[in-house]
């Protein structure tokens, strides 16, 4: 029961923040303390950074900013997300609150009511609006940046920093982040560049998470202490199982690997069903894993559905669904199956009949009616949206998903199952990190529905419960900047601010902020090292002469003698020259005043420590030199390339854009320079629409690591091949130029999808295109949409009217069928 003083403080707080009180009254749940703190900060006119666990309700603070905007006649609020799927989801949610007239959606390939007072968009769209000085920015009061920790993404992260730096000072910024260990550092930077930013960190999950290990058919708690992870100890029963199986595992890795290869795909005997069986660690020799259908039935019996099984491969997700299908499991009632069928038919009715079989539609629907589905990037976006909505409606009970599902999509589960604690990163199998573990298991526990969420890790041979417990309890995943200046960024900054101001702006990036903070630490190391070096010099002080000079002679002599022994095959002239130097050093050493010092070897030991520490300190000083002004130096190199290619003109700080530079202002993407140069040199003149679509695809497509280089096999013939060769030659010249200016360059063009994209733009049937592309429908749609984005840019920036017209025709040719279709 609250005291009178507490009630008085609460009443005073409510009186000071009436909008927070009004907003809270419209919510389904009482606001948590961190949400109230965030709303109060916004009501006071500040920006906020909110870092909280997945599912904690961070977006409430962003929605409050929208609420504030709508209390005025004209204020606008933008809500940005890193993914189109997230944007679509948020758009639907806000339309349900504010109605379709006041809410818009901009995602590059979708433009709905873009002039509305509330607009949901991808972060790139907002960046482009800022650089174009769009009229839509008028009256903009709040910008919500959801999943702002994407700032660390090495491909797209720079966009978040560009937006944060360039938004007008009058805009309040609401940054929503997953839990990161350096939230205060990020908040300090936001306060530096935006001003008045409050940092609000919460590590409390609104729904507690219970951690389990599935051993045979027993769900054993990971921790003995159920009061909380922070003080918990690992379940000793798991440690006894580890002890009983660990030594055999360690001694028989090779035979085990052989056995697993031979028996891959053979199903393990099913364990007894019924009540929970105690595990007798003394008798455990091998832990047989439960089949997936049995795991699902166990979760169903213990009321732990709906569940998400995270499997770190698309093939594995689809295979898991097939395994459940073959087992005959049905998790739905006849009424639920009828509702599923009606929903799917309603949201896929515009798909063409000839495409349904190609997409595996009928088997997919049958699996949905069983209450089971997969979810990964290879799935058609429309199918993914249907799965997400059916799961939210509790009609689909089990989803087998890749880790991409953990990135913000609202699909809360009662239980999350991790079958393995490692994944393939493209090069090797690596253990998942504590951040990944937290992100994945954060999906478990639905607020207002579940009393607690459940994370289930399935036992594997050689598992160390201590390592799993460490993943579950650790909070060490920092947010690090991936910012680097691009050509498009450089021309926009120069045009808007001039070169000196552009350098200052770049120096205010989070990348430089972190580098400068690192410099502070490095400088402290140098100061401490200098004190030690002074102490070493004092310890080797010799009354006979300068011992540091003597030590340097000894050191050089020792290095040369060692090199002489190792380099016996060197040319005679080189060895003779070296021997002459060695003899000279020996003579100098023997004549040196310190050579006869009785404390010579004691001094020498101090000298060895001195030289070792001096080498380390010199390296640290170089680190400081390379970090200071890092971003501005890269910007200068980018500007030098632009000078060389005549995109900017002038001298020193007094520079401006040429006509080519002004064109590049509107070209966004990894290959901005190559696209601008290709247009300027007219390399794509004369291409028809399918060929230009294929060329655009070559510029955006990134092949898989394991994808073989097909060379010119399957490439469209005629004018395309000539244009492709010229564009590839141009890329090579630009790459050489970038290398000359100490810039990293880019990957060569990839024509792996050129043939299928050419055929698709020409009107080919879906089944033929997917066979030729050798990829899933979802992957093809993703690359097709990126191709559309580039074609759209070409249609707007190409000065040659024929290329602009062809780009528009190519765009229309690609945007058809499953590429144009959206389920929701």
């Amino acid at each position: 029961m609250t005291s009178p003083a507490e009630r008085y403080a609460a009443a005073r707080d409510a009186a000071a923040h009436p909008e927070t009180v009004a907003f809270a009254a419209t919510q389904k749940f009482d606001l948590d303390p961190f949400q109230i703190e965030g709303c109060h900060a916004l009501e006071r006119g500040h920006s906020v950074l909110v870092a909280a666990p997945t599912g904690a309700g961070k977006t409430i603070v962003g929605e409050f900013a929208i609420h504030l905007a709508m209390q005025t006649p004209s204020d606008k609020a933008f809500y940005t997300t890193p993914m189109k799927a997230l944007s679509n989801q948020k758009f639907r949610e806000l339309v349900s609150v504010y109605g379709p007239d006041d809410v818009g959606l901009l995602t590059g390939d979708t433009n709905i009511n873009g002039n509305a007072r509330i607009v949901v968009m991808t972060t790139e769209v907002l960046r482009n609006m800022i650089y174009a000085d769009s009229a839509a920015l008028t009256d903009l009061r709040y910008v919500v940046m959801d999943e702002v920790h994407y700032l660390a993404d090495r491909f797209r992260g720079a966009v978040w920093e560009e937006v944060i730096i360039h938004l007008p000072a009058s805009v309040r910024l609401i940054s929503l982040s997953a839990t990161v260990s350096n939230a205060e550092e990020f908040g300090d930077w936001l306060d530096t560049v935006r001003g008045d930013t409050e940092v609000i960190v919460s590590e409390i999950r609104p729904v507690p998470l219970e951690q389990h290990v599935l051993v045979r058919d027993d769900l054993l708690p990971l921790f003995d202490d159920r009061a909380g992870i922070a003080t918990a100890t690992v379940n000793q029963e798991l440690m006894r199982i580890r002890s009983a199986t660990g030594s055999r595992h360690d001694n028989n890795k090779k035979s085990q690997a052989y056995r697993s290869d031979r028996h891959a795909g053979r199903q393990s005997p099913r364990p007894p069903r019924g009540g929970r069986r105690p595990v007798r660690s003394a008798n455990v020799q091998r832990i047989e894993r439960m089949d997936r259908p049995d795991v699902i039935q166990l979760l169903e019996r213990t009321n732990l559905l709906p569940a998400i099984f995270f499997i770190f491969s698309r093939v594995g997700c689809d295979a898991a669904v097939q395994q459940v299908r073959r087992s005959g499991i049905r998790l739905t009632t006849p009424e639920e199956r009828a509702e599923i069928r009606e929903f799917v038919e309603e949201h896929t009715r515009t798909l063409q009949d000839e495409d349904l079989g190609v997409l595996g539609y009928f088997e997919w629907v049958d699996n949905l009616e069983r209450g089971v589905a997969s979810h990964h990037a290879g799935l058609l976006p429309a199918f993914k949206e249907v799965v997400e909505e059916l799961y939210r409606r509790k009609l689909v009970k089990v989803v087998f998903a890749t880790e991409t599902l953990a990135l913000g999509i609202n699909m809360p589960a009662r239980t999350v199952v991790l079958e393995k604690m490692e994944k393939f990163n493209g090069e090797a199998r690596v253990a998942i990190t504590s951040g990944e573990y937290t992100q994945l298991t954060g999906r478990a526990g639905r607020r207002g529905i579940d009393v607690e969420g459940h994370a289930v890790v399935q036992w594997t041979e050689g598992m160390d419960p201590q390592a799993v417990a460490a993943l579950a309890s650790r909070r060490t995943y920092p947010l690090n900047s991936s910012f680097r200046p691009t050509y498009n960024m450089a021309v926009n900054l120069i045009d808007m601010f001039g070169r000196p101001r552009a350098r200052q702006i770049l120096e205010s990036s989070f990348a430089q902020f972190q580098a400068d903070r690192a410099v502070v630490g490095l400088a402290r190391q140098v100061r401490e090292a200098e004190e030690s070096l002074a102490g070493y010099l004092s310890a080797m002080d010799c009354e006979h002469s300068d011992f540091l000079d003597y030590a340097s002679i000894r050191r050089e002599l020792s290095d040369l003698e060692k090199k002489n022994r190792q380099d016996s095959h060197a040319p005679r002239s080189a060895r003779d020259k070296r021997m002459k130097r060695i003899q000279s050093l020996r003579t100098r050493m023997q004549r040196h005043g310190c050579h006869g010092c009785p404390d010579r070897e004691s001094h020498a030991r101090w000298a060895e420590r001195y030289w070792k520490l001096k080498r380390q300190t010199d390296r640290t000083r170089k680190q400081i030199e390379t970090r200071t002004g890092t971003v501005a130096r890269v910007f200068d190199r980018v500007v030098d390339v632009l000078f060389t290619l005549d995109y900017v003109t002038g001298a020193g700080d007094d520079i401006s854009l040429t006509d080519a530079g002004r064109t590049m202002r509107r070209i966004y993407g990894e290959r901005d320079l190559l696209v601008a140069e290709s247009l300027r040199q007219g390399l794509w003149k004369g291409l028809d629409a399918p060929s230009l679509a294929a060329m655009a695809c070559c510029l955006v497509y990134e092949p898989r690591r394991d994808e073989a280089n097909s060379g010119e096999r399957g490439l469209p013939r005629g004018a395309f091949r000539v244009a492709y060769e010229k564009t590839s030659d141009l890329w090579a010249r630009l790459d050489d130029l970038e290398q000359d200016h100490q810039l990293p360059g880019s990957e060569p063009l990839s024509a792996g999808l050129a043939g299928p994209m050419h055929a698709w733009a020409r009107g080919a049937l879906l089944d033929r295109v997917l066979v030729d592309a050798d990829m899933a429908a979802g992957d093809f749609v993703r690359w097709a949409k990126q191709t559309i984005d580039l074609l759209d840019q070409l249609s707007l920036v190409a000065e040659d009217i024929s290329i602009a017209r062809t780009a528009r025709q190519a765009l229309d040719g690609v945007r058809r069928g499953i590429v144009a279709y959206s389920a929701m």
Side-chain angles (χ1 to χ4, degrees):
M1 189 171 177
T2 57
S3 67
E6 288 172 328
R7 288 197 297 273
Y8 172 73
R12 187 181 58 190
D13 222 26
H17 303 95
E19 291 299 339
T20 301
V21 173
F23 176 74
T26 66
Q27 301 304 301
K28 297 178 182 177
F29 312 107
D30 291 339
L31 297 190
D32 290 333
F34 85 92
Q35 296 169 327
I36 293 172
E37 188 180 352
C39 293
H40 284 178
L42 285 173
E43 197 166 354
R44 289 193 298 270
H46 299 169
S47 294
V48 292
L49 165 64
V50 181
T54 301
K58 297 182 291 292
T59 56
I60 285 289
V61 183
E63 289 164 9
F64 178 67
I66 295 171
H67 167 84
L68 288 177
M70 297 304 286
Q71 303 312 301
T72 70
S74 59
D75 282 354
K76 291 181 180 178
F78 289 173
Y79 196 109
T80 74
T81 78
M83 295 183 292
K84 292 176 182 178
L86 277 176
S87 294
N88 294 337
Q89 188 178 93
K90 201 68 200 177
F91 170 70
R92 291 193 293 270
E93 291 175 5
L94 291 172
V95 165
S96 69
V97 176
Y98 295 101
D101 292 340
D102 280 326
V103 185
L105 176 67
L106 298 173
T107 61
D109 59 347
T110 302
N111 186 337
I112 301 173
N113 200 15
N115 292 317
R117 291 181 59 195
I118 305 167
V119 185
V120 184
M121 62 187 69
T122 51
T123 316
E124 281 87 351
V125 169
L126 179 53
R127 186 271 312 271
N128 298 352
M129 289 170 68
I130 291 171
Y131 281 159
D133 195 20
S134 169
L137 298 173
T138 304
D139 294 325
L140 179 61
R141 179 62 176 163
Y142 299 98
V143 167
V144 182
M145 300 195 79
D146 202 355
E147 309 285 343
V148 76
H149 49 272
Y150 260 79
L151 180 142
D153 185 88
R154 68 190 183 98
F155 296 110
R156 300 172 58 206
V159 174
W160 274 256
E161 291 194 46
E162 289 178 79
V163 169
I164 291 167
I165 291 169
H166 296 311
L167 273 175
S170 59
V171 175
R172 298 294 87 190
L173 190 66
I174 300 89
S175 304
L176 308 178
S177 171
T179 308
V180 292
S181 55
N182 62 333
E184 286 77 12
E185 178 190 41
F186 184 49
D188 287 348
W189 174 69
L190 287 171
D191 192 64
T192 300
V193 295
R194 303 292 313 166
D196 285 338
T197 299
E198 294 195 22
V199 180
I200 299 161
V201 178
S202 173
E203 295 218 18
I204 300 173
R205 283 177 49 97
V207 180
L209 181 66
E210 292 292 329
Q211 313 264 354
H212 311 274
V213 178
L214 178 59
V215 184
R216 290 184 175 168
D217 61 350
D218 279 340
L219 280 174
L220 301 180
L222 174 60
F223 296 101
D224 277 336
D225 182 2
R226 296 172 69 86
I229 288 178
T231 57
T233 58
V234 178
N235 186 346
Q236 292 306 299
E237 182 68 12
L238 293 173
M239 297 307 297
R240 286 192 289 273
I241 295 170
R242 162 70 174 169
S243 178
T245 61
S247 58
R248 199 174 68 80
H249 170 79
D250 294 338
N251 293 332
N252 294 285
K253 283 182 179 177
K254 291 184 180 178
S255 62
Q256 206 170 52
Y258 170 71
R259 190 162 55 247
S260 65
D261 286 343
R262 284 189 61 198
H263 299 292
R266 181 182 296 182
Q267 295 184 351
S268 306
R270 293 187 180 180
R273 305 192 182 204
R276 288 175 46 146
R277 180 181 60 204
V279 177
R280 305 297 180 187
S281 58
N283 298 323
V284 171
Q285 290 299 313
R286 179 177 174 82
I287 305 295
E288 298 289 351
R289 286 168 61 90
M290 291 183 78
D291 287 344
R292 289 188 184 107
D294 295 327
V295 175
I296 291 172
Q297 289 180 328
L298 171 64
L299 296 178
E300 185 180 29
R301 288 197 305 273
T302 50
N303 196 29
L304 292 181
L305 294 181
I308 297 174
F309 286 66
F310 281 111
I311 300 175
F312 299 113
S313 85
R314 303 176 185 182
V315 173
C317 290
D318 292 336
V321 173
Q322 291 307 313
Q323 185 182 7
V324 175
R325 177 189 177 87
R326 288 194 301 270
S327 74
I329 284 180
R330 282 191 184 275
L331 303 171
T332 53
T333 64
E335 294 76 20
E336 288 174 328
R337 289 195 285 277
E339 188 177 347
I340 289 168
R341 192 177 310 113
E342 181 182 355
F343 181 88
V344 173
E345 289 174 355
E346 169 67 21
H347 289 87
T348 59
R349 67 183 186 278
T350 58
L351 281 173
Q352 298 175 16
D353 290 344
E354 62 265 27
D355 291 343
L356 296 181
V358 178
L359 296 170
Y361 171 84
F362 301 102
E363 188 174 291
W364 173 68
V365 174
D366 183 62
N367 290 331
L368 290 175
E369 291 182 15
R370 293 173 183 272
V372 181
S374 62
H375 188 289
H376 53 72
L379 202 62
L380 187 70
F383 283 14
K384 280 198 293 187
E385 292 173 13
V386 168
V387 170
E388 290 161 12
E389 185 59 28
L390 290 176
Y391 192 85
R392 280 193 289 272
R393 295 186 181 197
K394 308 188 193 102
L395 296 172
V396 167
K397 322 288 186 179
V398 172
V399 169
F400 295 97
T402 55
E403 60 190 311
T404 55
L405 179 58
L407 301 176
I409 298 291
N410 182 24
M411 282 181 64
R414 178 164 296 168
T415 304
V416 162
V417 180
L418 300 180
E419 295 186 348
K420 294 181 180 178
M421 302 300 288
E422 61 179 21
K423 65 176 184 177
F424 186 68
N425 66 359
E427 297 175 356
R429 298 207 70 82
V430 297
I432 64 173
T433 65
S434 59
E436 289 167 334
Y437 182 90
T438 303
Q439 188 82 4
L440 296 169
T441 58
R443 289 281 146 211
R446 300 162 299 174
R447 189 169 186 173
I449 301 173
D450 300 320
V451 176
E452 58 193 16
H454 298 266
V456 176
V457 176
Q458 197 162 7
W459 184 276
T460 56
E461 286 289 328
M463 176 182 284
D464 181 3
Q466 294 276 18
V468 179
L471 285 179
S473 56
R474 195 177 301 136
R475 294 291 181 269
T476 54
Y477 26 97
L479 177 63
N480 292 315
S481 172
S482 60
F483 184 83
R484 62 178 179 83
T486 64
Y487 297 104
N488 170 272
M489 186 193 304
V491 294
N492 273 290
L493 290 177
I494 291 168
D495 192 51
M496 293 169 71
F497 305 109
R499 184 173 188 171
R501 174 71 178 132
R503 291 181 97 261
Q504 292 174 12
I505 289 171
L506 293 174
E507 289 288 11
S508 68
S509 66
F510 187 45
Q512 192 58 56
F513 186 83
Q514 288 191 305
D516 289 343
R517 288 222 166 170
V519 165
V520 172
L522 292 171
R524 185 175 62 251
Q525 292 177 29
V526 169
R527 286 197 303 272
E528 292 170 355
E530 286 173 342
E531 292 175 6
S532 298
L533 289 170
Y536 295 161
L537 281 173
S538 178
M540 73 172 91
D541 185 41
C542 180
E543 61 184 13
H544 298 279
S545 188
D546 181 358
F547 198 89
L548 190 61
D549 180 55
Y550 176 75
S552 66
I553 297 170
R554 275 182 54 149
R555 188 173 191 81
E556 185 181 356
L557 178 60
S558 175
D559 290 345
L560 283 173
E561 288 177 336
K562 181 179 179 181
K563 190 171 184 180
N564 207 39
R565 289 192 300 271
Q566 294 175 343
D567 198 15
S568 58
H569 299 294
R572 184 179 182 85
S573 59
R575 280 186 288 133
D576 288 346
K577 183 178 180 181
R578 192 183 300 140
M579 282 304 301
K580 186 181 291 188
R581 177 63 178 165
I582 288 172
Q583 194 58 46
S584 171
L585 288 170
R586 283 174 179 164
T587 302
R588 283 180 60 196
M589 184 180 71
Q590 290 164 2
R591 292 177 178 174
H592 200 283
C594 294
H595 192 62
C597 175
D599 296 323
R600 182 184 69 194
E601 294 309 311
S602 173
H603 291 163
R605 284 192 292 273
W606 286 110
E608 191 59 35
R609 294 177 189 174
Y610 175 90
W611 287 113
K612 184 177 180 181
L613 182 58
K614 188 174 185 306
R615 277 202 311 272
Q616 293 173 349
T617 306
D618 287 344
R619 283 198 295 268
T620 305
R621 285 197 179 99
K622 285 185 179 178
Q623 280 185 273
I624 292 174
E625 291 172 7
T626 57
R627 286 175 184 260
T628 304
T630 305
V631 178
R633 273 205 306 276
V634 175
F635 171 72
D636 287 338
R637 293 170 192 157
V638 167
V639 172
D640 287 344
V641 171
L642 293 172
F643 260 121
T644 303
L645 296 173
D646 196 32
Y647 283 88
V648 295
T649 185
D653 287 341
D654 186 19
I655 61 175
S656 58
L657 304 186
T658 62
D659 289 342
R662 281 185 283 275
T663 297
M664 185 182 280
R665 281 197 60 191
R666 294 181 292 160
I667 299 174
Y668 303 98
E670 287 288 310
R671 299 192 185 275
D672 46 8
L673 182 61
L674 180 59
V675 171
E677 274 295 280
S678 298
L679 286 175
R680 186 162 68 158
Q681 296 183 24
L683 301 187
W684 303 334
K685 284 188 72 170
L687 291 180
D688 60 14
S691 296
L692 188 57
M695 181 61 67
C697 182
C698 292
L699 291 162
V700 300
Y701 179 58
E702 298 171 11
R704 300 186 304 268
R705 284 187 175 91
D706 58 348
E707 187 173 315
N709 185 2
S710 60
E712 294 190 354
R713 182 171 54 82
L715 285 186
R717 298 184 180 278
F720 173 84
R721 291 206 177 190
V722 175
Y724 178 75
E725 288 172 4
K726 289 181 177 179
T727 307
S728 295
D729 289 343
L730 174 60
W731 168 83
R733 295 195 301 274
L734 294 177
D735 192 62
D736 289 342
L737 180 62
E738 289 177 317
Q739 299 289 344
D740 291 343
H741 286 84
Q742 297 178 281
L743 291 169
S746 59
E747 293 296 315
L749 275 69
S750 180
L753 194 55
M757 191 61 69
H758 185 272
W760 178 254
R762 232 179 40 238
L765 294 176
L766 178 65
D767 57 347
R768 177 197 156 183
V769 171
L770 293 184
V771 168
D772 290 347
D774 188 25
M775 65 173 52
D779 290 322
F780 179 75
V781 169
R782 185 172 73 256
W783 294 121
K785 289 193 172 183
Q786 291 195 32
T787 299
I788 287 171
D789 285 345
L790 179 53
L791 289 169
D792 189 39
Q793 291 182 46
L794 296 180
S795 71
L796 297 173
V797 305
E799 294 183 1
D800 188 307
I801 296 175
S802 64
I803 292 180
R805 184 171 55 248
T806 304
R808 181 56 58 186
Q809 293 168 352
L811 188 156
D812 292 338
V814 176
R815 188 191 283 155
R816 65 179 182 86
I818 62 169
V819 176
Y821 177 74
S822 177
M824 314 302 274

